[in-house]
């Protein structure tokens, strides 16, 4: 029995044969199990001899199985190493047209367009963290702890460990905290935009919990609302590629700007098709204003000497308007058909 099984194990040429040998020997209905069952019918003396012998046999077969399994695995690996190889000097296979080619996501495309247009007007690019402390996201922007806009903004708060009673960090609810970081870094005068991801707890056809904004600001000794108007009109003319683009500045309120204005763009919805620059409808595209003196001070800039404008708009939103995409949620679902349809070639 012992020699037979040990032979079978040693000769097993692959995993399947080895498993068959294991079942035949040690399986529930295997030889060893059968013998074990016979122990019950033996006299105590016979059992005292056969029991330990069977257990020893079982251990020996198990050890042989394990060893054989390892050597089969080694052999398989050696075989793979021998047969599978890669010629890294080979030139890459080119793909057929449209096959397996990725595309540039509309958000990336529009962000690049925005950076290029403002770049031509002398604006640099400033970045900041997406996990923000509440000083940068709120206090520095003249939003005190009890201010209603903290809840209006549907803020996502990061959990703190038990016993850590510092105020929780937040997922930034807008790109405005990057204003503060930019001011502290560059001082005045300065001019930059801050594109990036922002987070609010909101979900419907035009809202997703993560979306993109671009902030912009210019600080100098004699910046006025007139500069703001020109910069935004010039941006819209170029971005929407409409010469006669028309903007409407509506008085509004933000804690971080004074005065504040929301800006609408003239458009028409005739026949369910959106056309920018014509018609009698207005669509809100951004918030803006003159930077509040408290905010300049948070950024280490003396409001007695310097003033500036700031604006913030949704990147996804202007992408939807320019390229006629009806549902914001589709931006972030990663559906390849959508990406092929709306994506840009690299
Ligand atoms: N932070 C504002 C928002 O998220 C937009 C804004 C930016 C308004 C800068 C004015 C100035 O809605």
């Amino acid at each position: 029995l012992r020699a037979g099984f040990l032979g079978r194990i040693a000769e097993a040429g692959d995993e399947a044969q080895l498993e068959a040998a294991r079942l035949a020997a040690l399986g529930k209905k295997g030889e060893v199990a059968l013998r074990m069952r016979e122990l019950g019918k033996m006299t105590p003396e016979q059992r005292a001899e056969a029991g330990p012998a069977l257990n020893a046999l079982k251990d020996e077969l198990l050890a042989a199985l394990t060893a054989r399994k390892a050597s089969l695995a080694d052999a398989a690996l050696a075989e793979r190493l021998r047969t599978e190889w890669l010629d890294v000097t080979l030139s890459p296979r080119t793909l057929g047209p449209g096959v397996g080619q990725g595309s540039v996501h509309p958000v990336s495309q529009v962000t690049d367009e925005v950076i290029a247009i403002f770049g031509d007007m002398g604006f640099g690019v400033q970045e900041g963290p997406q996990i923000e402390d509440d000083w940068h996201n709120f206090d520095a922007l003249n939003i005190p702890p009890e201010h209603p806009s903290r809840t209006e903004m549907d803020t996502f708060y990061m959990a703190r460990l038990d016993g850590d009673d510092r105020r929780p960090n937040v997922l930034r609810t807008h790109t405005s905290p990057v204003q503060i970081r930019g001011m502290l870094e560059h001082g005045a005068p300065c001019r930059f935009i801050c594109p990036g991801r922002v987070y609010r707890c909101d979900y419907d056809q035009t809202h997703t919990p993560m979306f993109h904004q671009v902030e912009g600001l210019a600080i100098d000794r004699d910046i006025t609302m007139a500069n703001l108007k020109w910069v935004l009109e010039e941006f819209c003319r170029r971005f929407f590629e409409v010469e006669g683009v028309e903007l409407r500045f509506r008085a509004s309120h933000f804690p971080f700007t004074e005065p504040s204005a929301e800006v609408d763009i003239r458009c028409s919805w005739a026949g369910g098709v959106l056309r920018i620059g014509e018609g009698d409808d207005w669509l809100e595209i951004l918030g803006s204003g003159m930077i509040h003196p408290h905010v300049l001070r948070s950024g280490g800039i003396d409001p007695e000497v310097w003033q500036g404008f700031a604006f913030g708009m949704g990147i996804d939103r202007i992408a939807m308007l320019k390229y006629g995409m009806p549902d914001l949620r589709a931006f972030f679902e990663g559906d390849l058909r959508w990406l092929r349809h709306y994506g840009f070639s690299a």
Side-chain angles (χ1 to χ4, degrees):
L1 190 70
R2 176 176 169 274
F5 279 124
L6 285 177
R8 221 175 132 178
I9 290 169
E11 276 153 30
D14 58 30
E15 292 248 0
Q17 287 174 14
L18 191 63
E19 178 63 6
R22 187 188 71 83
L23 285 173
L26 302 176
K28 245 193 221 142
K29 294 184 183 134
E31 287 289 334
V32 175
L34 287 178
R35 302 290 156 98
M36 292 276 197
R37 237 165 282 146
E38 281 163 14
L39 289 175
K41 295 176 218 149
M42 294 179 184
T43 64
E45 294 76 37
Q46 284 173 320
R47 203 179 309 141
E49 196 182 320
L54 274 175
N55 274 329
L57 174 61
K58 195 169 139 188
D59 290 345
E60 190 178 2
L61 291 178
L62 263 179
L65 281 162
T66 310
R68 183 66 191 148
K69 192 164 182 173
S71 80
L72 280 176
D74 283 349
L77 182 61
E79 178 64 11
R80 278 188 60 188
L81 288 173
R82 197 177 62 76
T83 55
E84 292 176 20
W85 49 277
L86 200 63
D87 182 355
V88 292
T89 64
L90 208 61
S91 42
R93 226 176 294 163
T94 51
L95 298 167
V99 180
Q101 301 265 24
S103 62
V104 177
H105 194 284
V107 172
S108 307
Q109 170 73 21
V110 166
T111 305
D112 289 347
E113 291 173 21
V114 169
I115 290 173
I117 296 171
F118 281 107
D120 281 351
M121 294 192 266
F123 287 77
V125 173
Q126 179 74 28
E127 291 189 313
Q130 295 175 42
I131 297 177
E132 207 26 298
D133 56 68
D134 68 351
W135 185 80
H136 284 92
N137 196 78
F138 294 123
D139 304 64
L141 293 162
N142 198 33
I143 311 176
E146 64 293 341
H147 195 281
S149 86
R150 292 201 182 211
T151 46
E152 269 162 35
M153 282 199 180
D154 300 311
T155 311
F156 286 113
Y157 286 90
M158 307 290 292
R160 286 253 186 237
L161 293 176
D162 279 349
D164 185 343
D165 49 12
R166 286 174 301 171
R167 273 152 74 187
N169 284 332
V170 300
L171 293 181
R172 67 181 180 200
T173 54
H174 47 183
T175 41
S176 302
V178 192
Q179 284 189 26
I180 304 295
R181 294 182 177 275
M183 288 184 222
L184 290 170
E185 191 175 321
H186 304 293
C190 61
R191 212 187 305 177
F192 54 84
I193 60 170
C194 332
R197 295 183 162 199
V198 300
Y199 302 83
R200 289 180 205 177
C201 186
D202 209 350
Y203 187 71
D204 62 31
Q205 194 175 337
T206 52
H207 297 89
T208 50
M210 184 281 298
F211 60 105
H212 300 80
Q213 283 189 332
V214 58
E215 194 86 5
L217 79 167
I219 296 173
D220 212 323
R221 291 176 195 275
D222 48 13
I223 296 271
T224 68
M225 287 287 270
N227 301 115
L228 170 69
K229 278 187 81 168
W230 183 83
V231 164
L232 292 177
E233 275 170 8
E234 177 65 10
F235 168 75
C236 288
R237 228 185 328 272
R238 289 193 49 188
F239 180 77
F240 292 109
E241 296 164 344
V242 175
E243 198 41 50
V245 80
E246 226 182 302
L247 298 182
R248 178 172 80 175
F249 285 68
R250 225 174 348 97
S252 181
H253 175 264
F254 298 103
F256 27 90
T257 46
E258 183 58 36
S260 304
E262 282 177 299
V263 178
D264 305 330
I265 193 165
R266 187 187 281 284
C267 65
S268 87
W269 278 108
V273 184
L274 177 68
R275 287 203 178 73
I276 300 287
E278 54 186 74
D280 296 316
D281 294 316
W282 295 95
L283 220 126
E284 184 193 322
I285 54 166
L286 60 91
S288 66
M290 297 302 292
I291 304 173
H292 196 289
H294 289 353
V295 176
L296 288 172
R297 247 178 246 119
S298 306
I301 291 175
D302 182 357
E304 300 295 330
V305 184
W306 307 98
Q307 52 190 344
F309 67 70
F311 61 86
M313 67 185 144
I315 292 182
D316 326 79
R317 189 169 166 81
I318 60 173
M320 289 169 82
L321 298 180
K322 180 168 178 179
Y323 296 108
M325 301 150 176
D327 193 329
L328 179 62
R329 291 168 296 196
F331 276 57
F332 309 118
E333 279 167 1
D335 185 327
L336 286 176
R337 290 162 302 179
W338 189 90
L339 290 168
R340 269 187 211 117
H341 184 79
Y342 288 112
F344 294 81
S345 52

